[in-house]
Structures are given as structure tokens and as C-alpha cells.
């Protein structure tokens, strides 16, 4: 399967109805593989229509209001307190069981994996066509700490100082510090199903 982020929305090329397809492959007593599409059949409309955390209005408003990036990590600062509120709201969306990527396919997955375990199969593997792990960003403003050469570290600091003027990079750092996944199109956007 390929990653083809499709959306049902005005102006799209009609309704796509592919039904449900799931495939199970048994590899002796070593592994059971299950695969099904996660793009169309049961997928919720939200939160994936705004699948990039950095384009969420809450994080944009935060980055526009607070430009002191160093204060994002200071527990005594107003910036830190506000970032906690924004992060909690964003993460609540990710953990909302109303949104689903796999829907009723969870029943297929549970049944096949339970039977596989009962037969003594060593591995149960779900071959998903979307990212399963978190896609957490790097904190650009601490990169200089990782550079051993002092001159190069200074160059990195100069570069990151320029970035501090950018709302986009302030959003990026704020989301990074709170471990908010940037791409909610994969399973990080449907955290309750993980």
C-alpha cells in the first residue's frame, strides 16, 4: 500500500467507495500479518482535515502572542502556563475517541491477533499504511548544545536567533517542548486507537 492522503471534501472527484478490504497472511507459527487501508473506509473527517499541528489556530495564536522562546520552558512564566493550556487542548483532540482511523477494522485486528496468540504464533504484526509512531520534532533552539566545535556552535546559535523572529519556528518549538505530534494524519492523530 502507498500513503495517499485522500479527503472527502467539496471539489473532490466524487465519492470514493471501495468498501472494506483486509488481508491476513499467516507465516507458519512465526508471524501473523494483518493489513487494511486506513485512508478511506472508516476514517473520521476530523482531526485529519487540519492534520498539521503547526497550522492549528491555537498554536498559531500562542506563537503570535509570545515571542520569548526561552520562556516556553520556564515553569514560572506566563508563556509556560499558556503553553500548557494550548498543549492540553491539542492533545485532548488527539485522544478523543470520537475520531477514528480504523473504525470497525479494530474488530478484525483483535479477532485475528487473539486467534493467532491462541495458536501459539510468536508475532502478531499489523502492516499499516500510515505512520504508527510519534513524529516529534527537534527543538531547533537547543541544536547548538549538540555541536562540539565552539565556532560551529556559535554559527548555529546565530541561525537560531534569526529563527526566533518567525512565528512558524516558535510554533514548532512550542509543539516540540510539549511532545505534540506535528503530523496528525497518521496514528499520532488518533492516539486513543494506539
Amino acid at each position: 500500500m502507498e500513503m495517499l492522503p485522500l479527503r472527502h471534501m467539496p471539489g473532490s472527484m466524487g465519492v470514493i467507495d471501495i468498501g472494506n478490504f483486509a488481508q491476513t497472511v499467516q507465516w507458519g507459527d512465526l508471524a501473523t500479518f494483518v493489513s487494511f487501508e486506513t485512508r478511506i473506509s472508516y476514517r473520521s473527517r476530523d482531526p485529519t482535515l487540519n492534520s498539521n499541528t503547526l497550522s492549528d489556530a491555537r498554536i498559531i495564536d500562542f506563537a503570535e502572542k509570545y515571542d520569548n522562546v526561552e520562556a516556553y520552558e520556564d515553569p514560572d512564566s506566563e508563556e509556560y502556563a499558556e503553553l500548557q493550556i494550548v498543549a492540553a487542548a491539542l492533545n485532548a483532540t488527539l485522544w478523543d475517541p470520537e475520531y477514528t482511523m480504523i473504525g470497525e477494522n479494530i474488530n478484525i485486528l483483535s479477532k485475528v491477533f487473539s486467534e493467532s496468540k491462541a495458536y501459539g504464533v510468536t508475532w502478531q504484526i499489523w502492516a499499516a499504511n500510515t505512520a504508527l509512531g510519534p513524529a516529534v520534532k527537534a527543538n531547533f533552539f537547543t541544536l547548538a548544545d549538540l555541536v562540539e566545535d565552539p565556532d560551529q556552535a556559535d554559527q548555529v546559535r546565530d541561525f537560531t536567533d534569526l529563527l526566533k523572529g518567525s512565528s512558524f519556528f516558535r510554533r514548532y518549538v512550542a509543539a516540540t517542548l510539549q511532545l505534540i505530534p506535528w503530523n496528525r494524519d497518521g496514528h499520532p492523530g488518533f492516539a486513543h486507537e494506539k
Side-chain angles (χ1 to χ4, degrees), residues 22-78:
Q23 183 177 12
T24 302
V25 175
Q26 190 63 45
W27 194 282
D29 62 356
L30 183 61
T32 302
F33 296 89
V34 177
S35 179
F36 46 81
E37 63 84 20
T38 57
R39 294 278 172 201
I40 302 170
S41 295
Y42 295 104
R43 190 180 187 90
S44 298
R45 291 183 58 95
D46 285 315
T48 59
L49 285 177
N50 181 17
S51 62
N52 185 334
T53 299
L54 302 182
S55 62
D56 188 291
R58 295 166 287 195
I59 200 83
I60 290 172
D61 292 345
F62 172 84
E64 291 295 327
K65 183 176 180 182
Y66 300 105
D67 62 359
N68 181 3
V69 177
E70 287 80 9
Y72 294 2
E73 294 184 275
D74 178 3
D76 297 325
S77 72
E78 179 183 338

Side-chain angles (χ1 to χ4, degrees), residues 132-189:
L132 292 173
V136 177
K137 301 156 291 306
N139 184 346
F140 280 108
F141 298 110
T142 60
L143 288 179
D145 300 339
L146 304 174
V147 179
E148 292 180 18
D149 181 279
D151 292 333
Q152 289 178 344
D154 286 341
Q155 290 174 356
V156 172
R157 278 188 200 88
D158 290 344
F159 177 70
T160 55
D161 283 344
L162 288 173
L163 296 179
K164 291 177 183 178
S166 163
S167 170
F168 175 81
F169 284 99
R170 290 194 304 271
R171 286 181 266 159
Y172 191 94
V173 170
T176 299
L177 293 174
Q178 294 302 312
L179 301 178
I180 301 167
W182 68 272
N183 182 0
R184 298 183 296 196
D185 189 53
H187 270 280

